[in-house]
Structure formats: C-alpha cells, structure tokens
Amino acid sequence: MKDLKKVTQLLLSGALVLGMFSFTGSANAAVPSFKDVPASHWAKASIDAAVSKGYFKGYSDGTFKPGATVTRAEFAALLSRVSKGTPESEQANAFRDLTGHWSEAEVNRAVSLGFLKASDYPNGFKPSTALTREEMAKWLSSGLAAQNEDFKQALKDTDTENTLVPVAEFYKGGLKKAAYPYVSVALGTGLMAGYPDGTIGPGKTTTRAEAAVILSRYQQVQESKADSYRDLNEMREVGLTGTNLTSATLYRYSMREDGTDTSFDHVIGKKVKLRNNLGTITAHRMIVADAYSETKVQNLYGKMFIDRNYSNPIRDPYFEAFMEVTVTPNGNNLRNLAFVQAVGDIFTTVSNFNSGTTKTYGISNLPVEEYVDSGFFKQGVPRTFWMNFLLRRSAGTSNQSVEAFVVDKDTSTFFRIP
C-alpha cells in the first residue's frame, strides 16, 4: 500500500506539472483571467497570447505566477512548442536523467530542433535547474541557426567571434568570448535586451513573464531573415571588419588601382606615426552612432556612447563616429591641442567626449581635462581609448566612397573621408 501511495503521489505531481507547462493543443482558446496578472502588468499581452496558443497554462489557484523562475526543462518545452522547424530526425533519450520526466519528449524534440545539444550537458540535463540568460541566448540563437542558413552564418566565428558586443560585461568582464555570437544574435534581433545598467546578465535567471515575452518575439524572428535586422548586421560587420560603417550608413569603400578595396580591416592593428614624431597611433574599431539627438539614437551601438548626458552637440548633418585606438607617446608633450594637431593627417576633426554610458559600459574615453596634467598620456606607455569625430550625412546618402582605409608608407594616413 505504501508503494501504491508513492506511485499515486508521483502521478498526481506529474499531472500538476503537466497542467502548468504542457501543450494543450487548443490554440487560440479563451484566455483565463489570472488574478496575479492585472491589466497593468507589463507582460500581460504576451502572457495572454502564450496562453491562448497553448504554450503556457496557469495554476489551479487562478494564478500565473509571472515572477516564478523558469527551469531548463520548462524553457526547452516552450521552445519545442513555439518552433515551426521540422527536425530531420527525432532525438530519443538525449539525457539519462530525463527518463520518465514530464518534459522528456519535449526536451528531446528541442534537441532535435537544434536549440540545445546533449554534449553541452555531459553530466546530465538537470531539468529543474534554473535557466540562465546565457543559456537562453545560446538556445534561441541555435534554434534560429538550425532553421536558417543566414542565422547559422551569423553564429560562425568569422562573423561575430571578434565583434563588439554592446553590453557592459564586454569591457567590465563577465561575458565569455564563446558567448559573443549567441548574445549578438539575441540582442541584434531583439529577442533579448540588456538591463538599464547596460548589462545582459548572463548568469541571471528568467521569469515566466519574461519567457512569455521572448516566445512572442521568437515567433516573429523565426519567420524572418538574419539580414533584416539592422543591429545584427552592424554587429556582424564589426566582427568581420572592425566597423559598422557600411551597415549603419550608405558609405562604401573605394577600390585601389590593384583591385583591392580600402575597407577598415586593412588598418586594424597597424601602427601609424603621429605628426611631429609625437608618438604612434593604432586603430582597433570604428563605430558609427546614428543619432539625431541625445534621445533619438537609432542603433544599438549608438546607445553605447550617447545618452542624455552626452557632452558634444549633435547636429543633423553629421553622424557621430567613434574610434578605438591605442596611442603611445614618444615624450610628455602630447597635450590636448598637440594631440589634435598630431592626428590632423588622419582625421579632419577629433574631439574628446563624455556621457553617462561611458561609465555604464566601462568605456575608456579621451577625457575632457588636459591629457598630460591628468596623467592620461605617459611617455612610452600605450593607452587604449575611444575618441569622437564626425561623418557627413549628406556624403553618406549617395553611396559616397571612402577614399582610404590603408596605411600608406608615404603619407602615414589610414583614414580619410572626403
């Protein structure tokens, strides 16, 4: 009798879990009113949509528990339901610790659909473990890649392995390099978003309300193409060439007489002498911020550099552009004016800048105070930082060619835009 009682309790427990998360098959059913999801709840529309399509169900006490943490098993099951992909073959027994578990079939299907790999969990799936946001980014991106070749290309090392990921953890630490491609796709498509403090929170967990919103977004993204997302295009270009110039503007690279283009990647890592032998400068990345005011920033990269506290005036005829460089002074004379003059052969205008986002994202920027007096530049010591310059919008609206992104031995020029 004791054994029968245990079995009965187990079956009842399983039925309760299935009632909360299993697919009912009744899409567009009447949506119940959850007493803990008022009309003012930020995720109500997404929760109602997910419930109406059978992805989620509420609890027997009339609640949805929007703040409850989502586990690996639950999110894998949700993805298996929302995906429109068709696996080439159905995965069976992907994880030993799922045998008899309520989510076994749906987790196996999620593996078949490419959302996750059994090899990523060599010690077992541990279905009740809370899903991290890093896992979520990887699962979502991998699922898209399994359905679409362009998304698969976006995840490849050549596209996003070396990109600038617009999250605070990129400079401050906390985001593994192996996660760059997955986070880039998740951010670039809008599937996931960072927190107000600029972080993506790779180790944080996700709530049921957040999962409902992400499911709603995934339904749309899986029907689209990777190149339809501007922010993702920019991240891919930065990963490939070090800049988002051609994806953020209509500027195009000119061709040299030998048939090679003059793209920015030709100058990455090349040392160029500053005028008057004041030192050397090396380019790393160039980011174009598409902004019409401090509050009207059009691209995700722009929001890394510009906010309400941006120190420079934004003028409609120009793009705000930023270049990450390393400068090594030959002496102690590289003061503000001397530096601007020293890079005069490279840029038409260079300025320092400041904003609230520099601290948020951990960006080292060319400071406003006197460089030497502040100790920013020191003889023989390389200093890596971001500086600001302008690009004409009018030139960038007619497929204007960039004259040179080539280190020229005669002129020591690596950047010149007409």
Side-chain angles (χ1 to χ4, degrees), residues 22-65:
S22 66
F23 177 63
T24 64
S26 56
N28 299 316
V31 180
S33 177
F34 300 111
K35 57 187 179 183
D36 57 351
V37 185
S40 60
H41 193 281
W42 66 273
K44 179 174 173 55
S46 295
I47 291 171
D48 288 349
V51 171
S52 72
K53 294 176 181 178
Y55 303 146
F56 271 110
K57 287 189 72 176
Y59 291 80
S60 58
D61 62 356
T63 64
F64 182 78
K65 297 187 182 353

Side-chain angles (χ1 to χ4, degrees), residues 79-132:
L79 290 177
S80 74
R81 299 166 196 162
V82 75
S83 175
K84 292 191 175 181
T86 302
E88 294 182 2
S89 60
E90 290 287 345
Q91 174 71 46
N93 304 318
F95 302 100
R96 292 183 179 179
D97 60 346
L98 279 182
T99 302
H101 193 270
W102 69 266
S103 68
E104 181 181 10
E106 290 183 299
V107 172
N108 285 336
R109 178 171 168 77
V111 173
S112 302
L113 289 166
F115 287 106
L116 64 150
K117 296 179 180 179
S119 58
D120 287 342
Y121 301 93
N123 299 317
F125 187 60
K126 300 178 181 178
S128 298
T129 301
L131 183 80
T132 67

Side-chain angles (χ1 to χ4, degrees), residues 75-313:
F75 198 68
L78 291 169
L79 290 177
S80 74
R81 299 166 196 162
V82 75
S83 175
K84 292 191 175 181
T86 302
E88 294 182 2
S89 60
E90 290 287 345
Q91 174 71 46
N93 304 318
F95 302 100
R96 292 183 179 179
D97 60 346
L98 279 182
T99 302
H101 193 270
W102 69 266
S103 68
E104 181 181 10
E106 290 183 299
V107 172
N108 285 336
R109 178 171 168 77
V111 173
S112 302
L113 289 166
F115 287 106
L116 64 150
K117 296 179 180 179
S119 58
D120 287 342
Y121 301 93
N123 299 317
F125 187 60
K126 300 178 181 178
S128 298
T129 301
L131 183 80
T132 67
R133 282 170 61 82
E134 182 178 322
E135 285 179 295
M136 176 181 288
K138 186 172 184 178
W139 291 12
L140 292 167
S141 302
S142 297
L144 291 173
Q147 295 182 53
N148 184 291
E149 284 296 321
D150 198 22
F151 278 115
K152 182 184 292 186
Q153 179 63 39
L155 284 182
K156 287 187 176 180
D157 292 346
T158 52
D159 274 27
T160 48
E161 181 186 33
N162 295 310
T163 196
L164 171 63
V165 187
V167 296
E169 290 92 345
F170 184 85
Y171 282 115
K172 293 183 176 181
L175 182 66
K176 294 180 289 189
K177 189 170 183 179
Y180 287 4
Y182 305 109
V183 174
S184 295
V185 170
L187 287 173
T189 56
L191 282 172
M192 296 176 67
Y195 293 102
D197 64 358
T199 63
I200 188 66
K204 290 184 177 181
T205 57
T206 300
T207 66
R208 280 166 58 88
E210 292 168 338
V213 173
I214 290 170
L215 285 182
S216 177
R217 294 171 182 169
Y218 189 87
Q219 291 179 82
Q220 300 173 42
V221 176
Q222 70 176 336
E223 299 281 0
S224 61
K225 296 182 179 179
D227 62 8
S228 65
Y229 295 95
R230 173 180 178 171
D231 287 327
L232 180 56
N233 289 338
E234 292 186 25
M235 290 182 210
R236 294 174 71 176
E237 187 186 359
V238 170
L240 290 168
T241 70
T243 182
N244 64 334
L245 179 68
T246 65
S247 51
T249 75
L250 291 179
Y251 279 100
R252 296 296 178 263
Y253 298 114
S254 60
M255 301 296 293
R256 306 187 79 192
E257 292 182 0
D258 61 4
T260 60
D261 64 42
T262 57
S263 59
F264 185 74
D265 56 302
H266 290 309
V267 303
I268 293 176
K270 304 289 180 64
K271 283 187 178 181
V272 175
K273 290 182 180 179
L274 294 174
R275 184 189 294 178
N276 300 323
N277 197 32
L278 289 177
T280 61
I281 184 170
T282 304
H284 304 298
R285 294 187 178 94
M286 183 180 77
I287 296 297
V288 178
D290 185 5
Y292 290 93
S293 71
E294 293 83 354
T295 59
K296 293 182 180 180
V297 185
Q298 308 299 310
N299 57 341
L300 196 55
Y301 274 134
K303 294 175 183 177
M304 283 190 72
F305 297 90
I306 298 173
D307 65 0
R308 292 177 181 272
N309 297 314
Y310 186 58
S311 59
N312 297 345

Side-chain angles (χ1 to χ4, degrees), residues 321-340:
F322 303 86
M323 186 174 286
E324 185 181 34
V325 298
T326 295
V327 170
T328 305
N330 285 338
N332 293 316
N333 300 316
L334 206 55
R335 295 183 175 275
N336 293 30
L337 181 59
F339 177 71
V340 172

Side-chain angles (χ1 to χ4, degrees), residues 272-273 345-346 404 406-414 416:
V272 175
K273 290 182 180 179
D345 290 334
I346 303 170
V406 177
V407 175
D408 188 289
K409 293 181 180 179
D410 297 325
T411 63
S412 296
T413 297
F414 65 57
R416 187 171 297 281

